[in-house]
Amino acid sequence: MAKILITGGTGTLGKKVCKLLDAQHIPYVVGTRRKSENNRLVTMDLIQNTGISEAVVGKELIFHLA
């Protein structure tokens, strides 16, 4: 299970952080408003305050880049 959550992981800075983590083979998930079957994406919406509790469960580190 990934212990890192990245909000804004699909943006300019977030993509760079993801690339760095990938290079080190460090598992993570990206919080996004888009629904997806991709196991690296978790559906959450910071504006609507939905899915956040589920997204942060078990996480030890959160990169808030949104």
Side-chain angles (χ1 to χ4, degrees), residues 33-48:
R33 288 177 285 184
R34 288 179 254 137
K35 296 197 185 307
S36 174
E37 296 300 318
N38 184 334
N39 63 352
R40 273 210 161 154
L41 300 177
V42 58
T43 304
M44 60 182 281
D45 190 321
L46 297 173
I47 295 171
Q48 299 296 321

Side-chain angles (χ1 to χ4, degrees), residues 18-65:
C18 291
K19 193 173 188 177
L20 290 171
L21 294 173
D22 284 338
Q24 296 296 314
H25 307 287
I26 298 172
Y28 62 88
V29 293
V30 173
T32 180
R33 288 177 285 184
R34 288 179 254 137
K35 296 197 185 307
S36 174
E37 296 300 318
N38 184 334
N39 63 352
R40 273 210 161 154
L41 300 177
V42 58
T43 304
M44 60 182 281
D45 190 321
L46 297 173
I47 295 171
Q48 299 296 321
N49 196 27
T50 57
I52 299 168
S53 296
E54 297 84 0
V56 300
V57 169
K59 301 304 179 274
E60 294 179 3
L61 180 64
I62 298 172
F63 288 98
H64 179 50
L65 307 174

